[in-house]
């Protein structure tokens, strides 16, 4: 297929960048798209958002904005098949794409519905009851929310090019704030295609959305106290961006969702043979293989009582042996490729670091048998299960995120030990616990709640309806310390 030429959308126009970098398919290394943003006037883009997009959005009520968001979601759903075609080039299976594409549209639908159900058909949002400030009640205080009068800069990670963009746009647009979106380059052709669908829907006021496919140039130099940066990606990039002098000098709001060494715990009651044991095993394999483990919420560390660790290992390896890696367009393939050869090198290097403290009990760092596709030109990678029997003597297993199908099992001595080991990851997006004992659940929530953005407690009763460990839901807060 002829490479797509990606365009920026700046100051109300589609603009080609002056530079051209190639983006290659995860499946065969062929060039899928060319991208670049050199030549854009980033200061003018920020001004355009503030002067044109912001006033137009702020003139709308919450209900009007919610209806606009719903129309965007409908447009994405109407064009989903074209997006699924591009999704394969990122290495993702149809199921992975469903989470990204329909999950993204679903997130917009959820925000649209909350906007109409929970917010007023007004432009001002009352926050709580009036505060009585005088004896006779003639003088009161009232907290209210009004929209920021700047621009939201969304810098997104490569792994969910659609959902990652839409989960930020939903609340931003509902709040009446325009956005400049910068997708990660590796999968920007899918984000750009979805962005086009939203522009073509014809429901956004001018200036509400702009797109940068490539570097953000000197955009940060132009940010003000009315702007916000919402970043998703690696801790390394987050630290670099947050250190930009304008962020501190002008108090620019900076939100980062970044590396996360998510943990799961098998409760002491969940012995082999219980439904919770089986759910635990199933969930670890699901988290390792969905999106080839390239999920910020994926389980990286799994803790089980020391006496049952062998049984956990046996059950996991038996299940992992059934995973079929290969070209996701091929019937029967259950895990696709990593996003790029560069990502494969990175995962291999990180997994090798973890393997200095843990032994590999499933998979191969170098080799992979695939059902269809080219194992060299495609970024295919084996699921890797590691085992570390001395978790308190290890550091890499708790600190290094191998952003692929890589997970480490470890023993704990008692529940307090399990909680401390989970917290050893310095805060994560999500932690899960498999138990049928409410006392175990209570102890873990009290001990680990402060360190984790979300805690999923799973047992036989909720399993049928549970969305699982790794699904950030628009009804709940996504994020967490670290
Ligand atoms: P990354 O390399 O840090 O890149 C993230 C984003 O930052 C990309 O859009 C990237 O653009 C951009 N970027 C890089 N350097 C920049 C700079 N100097 N100025 C402005 N933008 C810059 O991360 P990634 O490899 O895409 O994503 C993987 C990571 O994301 C993992 O660590 C994962 O844990 C994390 N993640 C976290 C969450 C969460 O919700 N917490 C969700 C998904 C992923 P280019 O691609 O053009 O370089």
């Amino acid at each position: 297929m002829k490479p797509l030429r990606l365009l920026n959308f700046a100051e109300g126009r589609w603009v080609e960048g002056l530079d051209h970098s190639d983006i290659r398919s995860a499946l065969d290394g062929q060039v899928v798209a060319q991208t670049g943003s050199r030549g854009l006037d980033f200061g003018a883009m920020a001004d355009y958002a503030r002067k044109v997009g912001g006033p137009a959005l702020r003139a709308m009520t919450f209900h009007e904005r919610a209806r606009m968001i719903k129309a965007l979601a409908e447009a994405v759903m109407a064009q989903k098949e074209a997006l699924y075609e591009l999704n394969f080039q990122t290495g993702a299976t149809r199921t992975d794409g469903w989470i990204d594409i329909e999950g993204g549209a679903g997130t917009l639908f959820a925000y649209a519905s909350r906007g109409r159900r929970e917010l007023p058909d007004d432009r001002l949002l009352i926050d709580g009851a009036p505060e009585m400030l005088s004896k006779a009640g003639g003088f009161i205080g009232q907290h209210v929310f009004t929209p920021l009068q700047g621009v939201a800069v969304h810098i997104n990670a490569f792994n969910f090019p659609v959902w990652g963009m839409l989960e930020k746009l939903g609340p931003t647009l509902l709040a009446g704030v325009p956005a400049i979106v910068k997708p990660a380059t590796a999968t920007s052709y899918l984000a750009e295609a979805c962005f086009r669908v939203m522009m073509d829907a014809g429901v956004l006021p001018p200036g509400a959305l702009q797109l940068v496919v490539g570097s953000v140039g000197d955009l940060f130099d132009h940010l003000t106290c009315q702007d916000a940066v919402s970043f998703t990606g690696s801790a390394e990039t987050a630290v670099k961006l947050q250190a930009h002098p304008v962020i501190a000098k002008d108090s620019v709001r900076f939100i980062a969702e970044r590396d996360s060494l998510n943990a799961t715990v098998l409760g002491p009651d969940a012995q082999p043979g219980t439904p919770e044991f089986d759910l635990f095993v199933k969930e670890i394999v699901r988290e390792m293989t969905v999106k080839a483990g390239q999920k910020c919420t994926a389980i990286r560390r799994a803790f089980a009582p020391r006496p049952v660790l062998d049984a956990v290992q046996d059950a996991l390896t038996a299940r992992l042996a059934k995973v079929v890696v290969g070209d996701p367009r091929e019937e029967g393939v259950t895990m696709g490729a990593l996003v790029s050869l560069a990502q494969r090198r990175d995962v291999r290097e990180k997994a090798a670091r973890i393997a200095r403290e843990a032994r590999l009990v499933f998979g191969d760092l170098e080799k992979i048998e695939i059902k269809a596709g080219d194992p060299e030109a495609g970024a295919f990678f084996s699921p890797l299960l590691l085992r570390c029997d001395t978790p308190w003597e290890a550091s890499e297993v708790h600190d290094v995120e191998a952003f692929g199908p890589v997970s480490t099992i470890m023993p704990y001595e008692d529940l307090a030990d399990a909680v401390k080991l989970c917290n050893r990851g310095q805060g994560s997006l999500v932690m899960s616990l498999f138990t049928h004992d409410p006392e175990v659940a209570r102890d873990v929530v009290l001990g680990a709640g402060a360190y984790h953005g979300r805690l999923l407690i799973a047992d036989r009763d909720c399993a049928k309806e549970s969305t699982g460990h790794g699904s950030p839901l628009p009804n709940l807060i996504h994020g967490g310390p670290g």
Side-chain angles (χ1 to χ4, degrees):
M1 121 181 166
K2 191 168 170 288
L4 304 163
R5 176 62 210 177
L6 305 188
L7 299 181
N8 303 277
F9 190 72
E11 299 176 69
R13 294 186 315 277
W14 290 100
V15 188
E16 186 168 337
L18 300 177
D19 50 339
H20 294 73
S21 57
D22 289 343
I23 308 173
R24 293 181 182 277
S25 163
L27 303 179
D28 55 16
Q30 297 293 313
V31 177
V32 181
Q34 291 182 317
T35 188
S37 62
R38 209 173 71 220
L40 294 183
D41 183 339
F42 294 98
M45 284 177 75
D47 263 353
Y48 183 72
R50 291 186 203 110
K51 292 189 179 140
V52 180
L57 286 167
R58 291 197 297 276
M60 299 165 76
T61 67
F62 285 109
H63 287 199
E64 287 166 340
R65 290 179 216 144
R67 280 192 286 274
M68 174 183 79
I69 293 167
K70 185 175 177 198
L72 296 178
E74 284 168 347
V76 173
M77 286 304 285
Q79 297 297 322
K80 67 179 183 180
E81 289 308 324
L83 301 178
Y84 273 118
E85 273 311 304
L86 289 173
N87 162 69
F88 288 130
Q89 297 301 330
T90 71
T93 62
R94 173 108 191 170
T95 309
D96 298 336
W98 177 78
I99 300 168
D100 189 33
I101 298 162
E102 299 191 45
T107 298
L108 285 187
F109 278 125
Y111 280 116
S113 145
R114 293 186 86 99
R116 275 174 300 125
R117 275 187 291 115
E118 296 173 20
L119 299 176
D121 195 12
D122 197 342
R123 302 186 298 139
L124 192 69
L125 181 59
I126 304 292
D127 178 25
E131 299 288 343
M132 289 303 148
L133 300 177
S134 62
K135 271 195 186 139
F139 178 60
I140 61 161
Q142 176 65 60
H143 294 106
V144 298
F145 288 108
T146 65
L148 280 174
Q149 295 182 19
V151 58
V153 175
H154 293 173
I155 300 182
N156 299 330
F158 73 79
N159 56 343
F160 286 105
V162 177
W163 174 83
M165 172 167 67
L166 301 185
E167 66 134 359
K168 288 181 184 173
L169 285 179
T172 301
L173 293 172
L174 192 55
V177 179
I180 297 175
V181 179
K182 186 254 179 289
T185 298
T187 53
S188 52
Y189 49 90
L190 179 48
E192 193 238 31
C194 179
F195 189 95
R196 274 180 189 278
V197 168
M198 292 195 288
M199 297 315 294
D200 290 348
V203 294
L204 288 160
L209 285 191
Q210 297 179 80
L211 178 74
V212 176
V213 285
S215 154
V216 291
D218 65 356
L219 177 61
F220 275 46
D221 293 342
H222 303 282
L223 298 181
T224 71
C225 69
Q226 287 299 301
D227 303 326
V229 176
S230 180
F231 169 85
T232 305
S234 62
E236 199 185 338
T237 312
V239 168
K240 190 157 69 184
L241 295 183
Q242 196 162 15
H244 191 286
V246 168
I247 300 287
K249 184 170 78 58
D250 291 331
S251 298
V252 180
R253 289 159 175 82
F254 188 93
I255 303 137
E257 293 182 49
R258 50 189 228 183
D259 301 12
S260 183
L261 272 291
N262 312 293
T264 187
V265 172
L266 181 68
D269 56 301
Q271 293 293 311
T274 61
E276 287 72 28
F277 182 92
D278 296 341
L279 291 168
F280 175 76
V281 168
K282 201 168 148 195
E283 195 65 353
I284 293 171
V285 174
R286 182 155 75 133
E287 287 294 311
M288 286 175 74
T289 53
V290 169
K291 270 270 166 181
Q294 300 167 114
K295 281 201 323 178
C296 53
T297 49
I299 294 169
R300 305 290 172 205
R301 303 175 300 141
F303 298 101
R306 190 177 287 277
V308 301
L309 198 63
D310 285 341
V312 166
Q313 179 183 323
D314 291 347
L316 282 171
T317 51
R319 221 180 161 96
L320 284 168
K322 294 188 193 139
V323 173
V324 182
V325 182
D327 186 325
R329 292 167 295 194
E330 197 71 22
E331 187 76 21
V333 165
T334 54
M335 187 177 111
L338 296 172
V339 76
S340 64
L341 294 178
Q343 182 65 13
R344 182 166 71 180
R345 280 193 293 278
D346 186 64
V347 174
R348 197 173 266 153
E349 186 260 316
K350 302 261 174 63
R353 276 170 64 188
I354 297 170
R356 290 204 287 263
E357 300 176 337
R359 70 196 151 88
L360 197 56
V361 294
F362 184 91
D364 191 308
L365 269 163
E366 300 297 330
K367 286 201 303 279
I368 169 78
E369 253 183 50
I370 59 172
K371 176 161 176 177
D374 181 338
E376 287 313 312
F380 299 101
F381 194 69
S382 163
L384 299 179
L385 184 70
L386 296 109
R387 171 173 173 157
C388 172
D389 284 292
T390 51
W392 283 111
E393 286 165 33
S395 61
E396 306 276 71
V397 287
H398 305 291
D399 294 337
V400 175
E401 183 194 43
F403 203 59
V406 184
S407 205
T408 306
I409 54 170
M410 290 174 261
Y412 70 81
E413 310 306 333
D414 55 29
L415 203 54
D417 189 44
V419 164
K420 281 194 217 136
L421 283 166
C422 288
N423 295 351
R424 173 79 181 70
Q426 301 172 56
S428 79
L429 289 170
V430 53
M431 176 194 155
S432 55
L433 167 70
F434 292 77
T435 182
H436 196 45
D437 182 340
E439 283 307 312
V440 170
R442 186 182 152 82
D443 286 351
V444 170
V445 168
L446 282 167
Y451 277 82
H452 305 277
R454 180 172 76 242
L455 255 159
L456 171 92
I457 298 161
D459 73 356
R460 63 198 73 177
D461 297 329
C462 74
K464 205 163 161 224
E465 289 184 304
S466 168
T467 49
H469 169 105
S471 322
L473 299 168
N475 327 50
L476 303 175
I477 293 169
H478 176 51

